Amino acid sequence: MKLKQTFTLKVIISILILGTNVAQAQMDFLKGFIITNDNDTIRGMLKEQFSYESYDLLFKKSENDSDVKRYTPLELSAYYLDINQFFESHNAPIGDSTQQVFLNCHIKGDISFYSFVDKNLVEHLYLKTDKRGIQKLIYEEYTRYDKKSKRRVIQKDRHYAGELKLAFQDCATLFDEIDEIGFFRKSIQAMFRKYYDCKAKDYIEYKPSKKAKSKLWEFGVLLGGNRRIETDNGIESMKLGGNLNPFIRFTLPNSKNRYSLELRYNWSTIGFRDGRIKAQSVQFRFNQYFKKNINSVYPKIGVDFNTQNYDRNGLVLGMGYDLKINKLKLISNLEFRFLHNKIFNLNVGLGF
C-alpha cells in the first residue's frame, strides 16, 4: 500500500510541475475584428492568449470555423472586441526591457492612455503622444536612511506626475490635481477626461461592457469520500469515510482567470480502528488552471488546519476538473493529504 501511495503522490507532483510550466488561460472566443499591419480590417472571432511564453491572439472567421490562426503583436497593428475593448500593438517598456505587446487602450486621442498586465500579474500604465511616443508611467517606493531622525523612511517617487504634467502642459490648471492623485488606473483615466474637457477636444474612451467583467466569486458545496491506510502491528488496512465541504472560490483579478484561491470548511468522518471519528478542518487551496474555457483541468496545492479530533495539520496536493453546465458548474477534486494523517479525498459538487 505504501508503494502505491508513493507512486500516486509522485504522479500528482509531476502534474503540478507540468501545469506550472505549460499552464495558460484562455478566454472564450468573442466577436470582434483585427487590423493587420497593412491596415486591413477583418471581422471574426477572437480569443486572447495569456501564457508564459507569449501574448498572442487567436483568430477564426466564424464560430464554427475549425481553422484557427495565431497572431503575434508583430503581425497585427490592433484588434477590437465587441465588448468595447480595444488593443494596439506597441513596443513598450516592461521591467528592464521592451517588448512588442498588445496594450489595452482606455483613452484614444492626441494623448492616449494604455494599460498592460504582464505575466506576473503586474499592471503597467502608459501614455502616448505624437512627439514622444509611448511613455511608461512610473511610481517607486524604496527605503532610505534619514540622518536627522536616524531612521529608515519610505521614499515615494511619483515620476508619473511629472509625465502627466509634461503631457498636459497646455492645461496647467490641472497640475494641483495631478499632484494629489494616486497611482491608480481609474484615477489617471479620470485625469485624462479632465484634460480633454479643459481643451474641449474630442477623444474616444473604451469602457468594457458588463459582459466583459469576469465573475470573481464562486460558491458551492462538495460531497465525497476519503480513504486512509492504517497500520496496526505491522498490518495495513484501508479505512473509508465521507466529506462535506461548502466552499468559496475567488479568482484573482487581472489573472485572465488563471489563478484562484479557495476557502472550505470540512465536515468529515474518517475511518479509525474499528469505527469512525468525526473531524472538522479549515481548508485553503490555490488553483492554477490549464485553461479557462468550457471545461478545465487544474492542479491545486493547499493546507488543512484541523479544528476537531485531529491535532496535526497537513499539506495537500491534488487535481481538479470543472465541467460547466449552463449557469452551474460540476466540480470534481482528487486530493492527497500528506505529511500527517495521509488521506486521499475524492469530492464532487456544484458551484454557482
Side-chain angles (χ1 to χ4, degrees), residues 292-330:
K292 193 69 177 177
N293 202 346
I294 297 176
N295 308 331
S296 56
V297 178
Y298 50 92
K300 50 177 52 242
I301 187 169
V303 61
D304 289 0
F305 296 101
N306 298 302
T307 60
Q308 180 188 15
N309 283 335
Y310 272 8
D311 59 355
R312 294 177 175 179
N313 304 318
L315 296 178
V316 176
L317 291 174
M319 291 294 298
Y321 178 77
D322 292 357
L323 176 64
K324 190 174 181 181
I325 306 173
N326 294 325
K327 294 184 179 181
L328 295 178
K329 186 184 293 181
L330 181 64

Side-chain angles (χ1 to χ4, degrees), residues 24 140 220 326:
Q24 61 184 18
E140 294 181 315
N326 294 325

Side-chain angles (χ1 to χ4, degrees), residues 40 47 60 81 92 124 204 219 231 246 275 293 302 304 309 350:
D40 293 328
K47 178 189 285 189
K60 59 183 182 179
L81 301 174
H124 304 266
I204 300 173
F219 306 89
T231 303
N293 202 346
D304 289 0
N309 283 335
L350 291 175

